[in-house]
Amino acid sequence: MGRWLTRRLIITLVTFLGITILVFVLMRLAPVSPVDILLFNMRNQGGLPPADIQALHDKLAKELGLDAPIPIQYILWLKEIVVNGSLGFSFVTGRPSLDMVVERMPPTLILLGTSLVLELLIGVPLGILAALRRNRFTDYLVSGLGLTVVAVPSFFIGLAAIYVFSVKLSLLPSGGMFTPGKPVNYIDWIRHLIMPATILALGGVGPILRYVRTSILETLGKDYLVTARAKGLNRTRVIVRHAFPNGLLPLITLIGIHVGTLMAGAFITENIFTWPGMGTLGLSAINSKDYPVLQAYARVVGIMVLLGNLLADLAYGIADPRIRLE
């Protein structure tokens, strides 16, 4: 176990380093720099001669460390992390970029956690139902619905949900985490959470129910389950009590990979519903070319995805003791 964990941690660190390099380089290759954004209004209004604006541009680029070659910028950035433990300061607000991302983590984690629970509560029973009704109308209906919610873009479903439940029916708030001007309470918080969490969860229901269905049907062909059926055990009980627990490994794999998918979906969902999480901060940083905030956001997301995969590997050994983590 110790050697396995050490190897996994080394692989995780190397992967994370690769993520930092990729994100850093891609951001620096953008055609518009943060300095261009800062001087945009000044260029349009013509308040200064072009030569003065160019001189100010060069001065700001030097102060922000954007005038050096990209490899040098990356080395200086790594040095800042090692020496001061800092991911830099926002070009827009001047605050530490990591603090800005971390303070947005709780709303995002609440949204992700709720969505994952909803996916499992909906997808697992539907997968079991489809396995119980294999090649029947119920199986086709459940599988068809699962593929439909995956095929339809989440932003379209989100906008449609806002139109129906907020605009037409006035049942749920259209966005935000709390109602402005009202005392904070759990009922109001849950009402704001229902739509974004449900829309984000719908995209994962289809893969989960298909994995559960396939895993159960494969497990039912094993000798010990055939023997159990031959002894007269009820088919539903065989599936729920024996086939499903022994077919968990594919589902664990999916959940570990699905952390990244949820983070990508949260980026879109948070901006549709103006949920005050990391996704809305990330889009704001993209629009303003705020490199330090974008880098902090990408690295936090990378860590969360890598941890999700690491926890999935650990869950393998718990779900199936036959798997030795060495």
Side-chain angles (χ1 to χ4, degrees):
M1 178 66 176
R3 287 186 300 171
W4 175 87
L5 186 59
T6 301
R7 288 199 304 268
R8 287 294 301 170
L9 288 175
I10 293 174
I11 294 173
T12 299
L13 289 174
V14 172
T15 304
F16 179 70
L17 182 62
I19 292 173
T20 65
I21 295 174
L22 181 63
V23 170
F24 195 94
V25 172
L26 289 177
M27 289 180 183
R28 263 55 181 185
L29 294 178
V32 180
S33 72
V35 178
D36 294 324
I37 299 295
L38 293 173
L39 299 179
F40 178 77
N41 292 331
M42 190 176 295
R43 291 179 187 275
N44 288 345
Q45 293 172 0
L48 289 175
D52 292 342
I53 293 178
Q54 184 61 42
L56 182 58
H57 181 283
D58 296 340
K59 179 182 178 182
L60 288 174
K62 185 175 182 180
E63 290 178 353
L64 296 176
L66 300 175
D67 59 334
I70 292 178
I72 301 301
Q73 291 185 43
Y74 182 74
I75 293 173
L76 293 175
W77 178 78
L78 280 180
K79 180 181 177 182
E80 184 69 17
I81 294 178
V82 174
V83 175
N84 300 321
S86 171
L87 291 178
F89 295 84
S90 169
F91 293 159
V92 177
T93 65
R95 296 181 56 202
S97 58
L98 184 59
D99 291 351
M100 294 176 64
V101 175
V102 170
E103 70 184 18
R104 295 290 193 103
M105 283 185 66
T108 295
L109 292 177
I110 290 170
L111 180 61
L112 294 181
T114 305
S115 298
L116 183 58
V117 170
L118 288 175
E119 288 179 5
L120 295 174
L121 290 178
I122 298 172
V124 171
L126 288 179
I128 294 175
L129 178 63
L132 286 171
R133 299 289 186 268
R134 181 185 183 186
N135 295 331
R136 298 182 185 178
F137 174 76
T138 304
D139 182 18
Y140 298 140
L141 177 63
V142 169
S143 300
L145 289 175
L147 292 174
T148 300
V149 294
V150 172
V152 179
S154 59
F155 69 86
F156 176 81
I157 300 177
L159 293 175
I162 291 174
Y163 178 76
V164 173
F165 295 105
S166 299
V167 178
K168 288 297 183 180
L169 302 179
S170 299
L171 293 177
L172 296 170
S174 61
M177 194 172 179
F178 300 102
T179 302
K182 289 187 177 181
V184 176
N185 61 79
Y186 287 108
I187 301 300
D188 182 56
W189 172 67
I190 291 174
R191 292 183 70 248
H192 282 80
L193 179 63
I194 289 174
M195 274 206 296
T198 303
I199 299 303
L200 182 58
L202 287 177
V205 168
I208 286 178
L209 76 87
R210 295 297 297 174
Y211 267 73
V212 171
R213 177 186 180 276
T214 302
S215 179
I216 287 178
L217 292 177
E218 289 179 354
T219 307
L220 284 175
K222 299 297 177 64
D223 292 340
Y224 69 95
L225 289 182
V226 174
T227 302
R229 289 294 310 281
K231 289 183 177 180
L233 286 180
N234 180 271
R235 187 166 182 262
T236 303
R237 185 175 181 182
V238 168
I239 289 178
V240 176
R241 295 285 300 274
H242 302 284
F244 176 66
N246 287 282
L248 274 178
L249 288 184
L251 183 58
I252 292 174
T253 303
L254 177 64
I255 292 175
I257 299 173
H258 194 50
V259 174
T261 306
L262 276 175
M263 290 299 305
F267 185 89
I268 299 172
T269 305
E270 286 184 3
N271 284 285
I272 292 174
F273 293 96
T274 60
W275 187 261
M278 294 166 56
T280 51
L281 177 66
L283 182 62
S284 175
I286 289 174
N287 291 331
S288 60
K289 298 295 186 297
D290 198 346
Y291 289 168
V293 175
L294 274 173
Q295 289 167 183
Y297 169 79
R299 282 149 184 78
V300 170
V301 171
I303 290 174
M304 293 174 65
V305 173
L306 292 173
L307 285 178
N309 283 273
L310 181 61
L311 291 176
D313 289 342
L314 288 172
Y316 270 36
I318 298 174
D320 190 346
R322 294 172 299 178
I323 298 177
R324 294 177 60 86
L325 302 178
E326 295 180 352

